[in-house]
Every structure is written in C-alpha cells, then in structure tokens.
Amino acid sequence: MKNSKLFSIIAAGTLLLTASTAFAEGDVAKGKKVAKKCVACHTLKEGGKNRLGPNLFGILNKKSATNPTYKYSKAMANSGLTWDEHTFLEYITKPRKVVKGTKMSFPGIKKAAKRADLLAYFKTLRSGEDHDDIMGNVEAGKRVAKKTCTVCHSFDKGGKVVYGPNLFGIYGKKAASVEGYKYSDALKNSGLVWNDKNLAAFASNPEQFVKGTTARFPGLKSTKDAADILAYIKTLK
Ligand code: HEC
Ligand code: HEC
C-alpha cells in the first residue's frame, strides 16, 4: 500500500474518531452536584444504607429492584428494566412515566445537560473490579464500529480485507490467525488470544498494547465505546 493512501486511511480514522468523541460526554464534577438531588433519598457510597430509596452504588447496568435489603414497590419489582444508560436517563427524566406506580416521588430532571452530567457521575460509582467488565451495549458497539473501525475492517462473515483483516469471529481466536492476511511480525509474535481484556486493551490503544503493530489508529478514548464494541464483536460468530 502506498504511503499516501495509508495516510488518508489513518487521517480518515482519526477524523471519525474525533467526530465520535465530540458528543458531549457529561461532566463528572457537575454531575456530582446534580446528585445532591438524589441523596435526600439515596446513599451513593459502596455499602451505603438504604434511605427512603435504595443505595445506588454500582446501579448502572444492574437489573432494577435487585438490592436484597430494600423493599421495592411492585411496579419497580416487576418492571423488568436494566439500568443501562438509556433507561437510566429516561427514568431520571420522568420516573413515573418509565415506571408507572413507582414509589420514587421525584419529579425528574428536565435539563438534558444535567442528566448527562449525572450519568457521567454515576458511571464513576463502581468498584475497580466491576470496571473491567462493564456490560457493553451491542447496538452502540455496532455504531462505534461503523464510525471508527470499518474504514479498515469488515465485520461481516467472509468480508473483504479493507486495510486490516476481516474481524468476523475474531473473539476467542488467536491473534494474527485470519488466513491470507499479512500481519505485522509484532502481532504474529504477540501470543495473544482475543479475549475481553485483550480486545478492550487493543481497541483502546493498539500501538501501546502491541508495540509495532500496523493497526495504526489512535484507539478508543472512552471505556464505554470499548465495552460496547466488545459486546458487538462477541455477537459476530
Ligand atoms: C424523594 C425521594 C427520592 C429522590 C429525591 C430520588 N429517589 Fe430514586 N428512588 C426512590 C425510591 C423510594 C425508590 C424505590 C422505587 C420503587 O420501588 O418503586 C427509588 C429508586 C431509584 C432507582 C431504582 C433502583 C433499583 O434498585 O432498581 C434509581 C435508579 C433511582 N431511584 C435513581 C435516582 C436518582 C438518580 C435520583 C436523583 C436524580 C433519585 N433517584 C432521587 C426515592 C427517591
Ligand atoms: C487505520 C486502520 C485501522 C483502524 C481504524 C482499525 N484497525 Fe484494527 N487493524 C488494522 C490493521 C492494519 C491490523 C493488522 C495489525 C497487525 O498486523 O499488526 C488490525 C488488526 C486488528 C485486530 C487483530 C486481528 C487479528 O486477526 O488478530 C483487531 C482485533 C482489531 N484490529 C480491531 C479493531 C477495532 C475494534 C477497531 C475499531 C475500534 C479497529 N481495529 C480499527 C487497522 C485498523
């Protein structure tokens, strides 16, 4: 491949990445202030007591009504919700609309920016261990892949080599084992297997994780994007 073409691929990748991270992520410090509205009824620290509402440490990506020490309303107990980002945002916009009959008597937060800040803060309310296996969102992962990976990779079964190897079924495979693709020595000799940890680390910063790889893209900045893409890649089998 000519350098100029390579460069434009990289530039395109970088540009797309920049565009994808330009979406306003909430501000943790501001979110902490917004959360003052919640602490009248909720503790937010790990192992905190229940107040009028249950302790909310680590609530994101949990199923609703799963705190065994708290007595939920029937409405919440039967809601079948999972507190993924989308549901969480909807709920705090208007709790009673999302869970009819919830006993959380809180009117909701009207401003989208405040909700985004709150979400950013809630994302920090988890222990170190949980952090590694944040549950990703497949649909979001698909979008991240489109934005940031498909300039160089196809993801469909039997897809062509774009610039990097086809990534269908990559999960669980040894690194550099797609037939017919000419890998760098660095990746060939890496001895890696594409499990959760390695994939997330590689997608977050390829050149740091595998020194000398020809996967020259800056990597996903957000751990959420990395978790989402991982969730998506796992479905490709
Ligand atoms: C006036 C008290 C009150 C306030 C203020 C309040 N909540 Fe609640 N919250 C509750 C109660 C009570 C429940 C239990 C609801 C039920 O069982 O129907 C609850 C439940 C929840 C749940 C579901 C927890 C689970 O285990 O499934 C979430 C998430 C939540 N609140 C988030 C928030 C956030 C975020 C704020 C601040 C923006 C907030 N709440 C403010 C009283 C409150
Ligand atoms: C600028 C082009 C480019 C972009 C953008 C890119 N990659 Fe790659 N990728 C490559 C190249 C080239 C390789 C082969 C690396 C080597 O041989 O060292 C590769 C290899 C890989 C591998 C290892 C495949 C194997 O067979 O072992 C994975 C996994 C991977 N990329 C994931 C991703 C993901 C996920 C994204 C999007 C977040 C992405 N890549 C974005 C160019 C790119």
Side-chain angles (χ1 to χ4, degrees):
M1 172 158 329
K2 279 212 211 89
N3 271 341
S4 60
K5 173 132 186 246
L6 177 62
F7 179 77
S8 61
I9 289 172
I10 293 168
T14 314
L15 203 79
L16 286 163
L17 262 177
T18 320
S20 74
T21 48
F23 279 104
E25 288 259 325
D27 180 308
V28 174
K30 283 189 188 154
K32 196 167 176 177
K33 286 199 189 124
V34 180
K36 288 198 173 134
K37 289 183 196 291
C38 321
V39 298
C41 303
H42 294 285
T43 57
L44 304 177
K45 285 218 173 75
E46 186 163 17
K49 281 201 213 117
N50 298 324
R51 291 189 176 148
L52 199 53
N55 169 262
L56 293 180
F57 181 84
I59 194 72
L60 284 179
N61 289 323
K62 265 206 197 126
K63 284 202 156 159
S64 63
T66 47
N67 183 331
T69 62
Y70 183 79
K71 197 161 172 344
Y72 294 90
S73 65
K74 278 218 176 85
M76 183 64 80
N78 298 329
S79 70
L81 296 173
T82 297
W83 297 118
D84 58 28
E85 299 189 5
H86 175 78
T87 310
F88 179 82
L89 286 174
E90 293 259 291
Y91 183 66
I92 61 170
T93 308
K94 230 173 187 190
R96 288 195 158 134
K97 193 171 155 208
V98 176
V99 182
K100 272 211 177 66
T102 178
K103 62 177 177 176
M104 168 155 147
S105 51
F106 175 72
I109 298 175
K110 296 232 168 56
K111 290 212 171 105
K114 285 200 172 161
R115 294 195 297 266
D117 292 339
L118 187 68
L119 176 65
Y121 174 58
F122 266 75
K123 282 188 189 170
T124 68
L125 303 177
R126 50 174 64 254
S127 54
E129 273 163 43
D130 288 356
H131 209 91
D132 285 332
D133 51 38
I134 290 181
M135 221 195 295
N137 176 303
V138 174
E139 284 307 312
K142 209 167 171 173
R143 288 194 293 271
V144 177
K146 260 217 175 108
K147 267 195 199 140
T148 55
C149 318
T150 54
V151 275
C152 298
H153 293 285
S154 57
F155 286 83
D156 42 318
K157 193 170 184 177
K160 280 192 298 216
V161 171
V162 184
Y163 171 58
N166 170 262
L167 293 182
F168 183 87
I170 198 78
Y171 188 78
K173 264 203 196 136
K174 277 190 159 166
S177 60
V178 174
E179 294 270 327
Y181 183 80
K182 205 166 170 324
Y183 291 94
S184 66
D185 289 339
L187 196 61
K188 272 194 286 196
N189 299 330
S190 68
L192 292 170
V193 172
W194 294 120
N195 59 16
D196 287 27
K197 219 173 120 203
N198 291 338
L199 267 176
F202 188 73
S204 300
N205 195 340
E207 297 210 73
Q208 186 187 48
F209 191 60
V210 180
K211 273 218 163 62
T213 178
T214 43
R216 287 194 200 91
F217 86 103
L220 298 169
K221 294 253 156 52
S222 121
T223 49
K224 170 164 186 338
D225 284 355
D228 289 344
I229 207 147
L230 182 61
Y232 170 55
I233 284 177
K234 282 179 169 178
T235 67
L236 305 173
K237 52 181 179 210

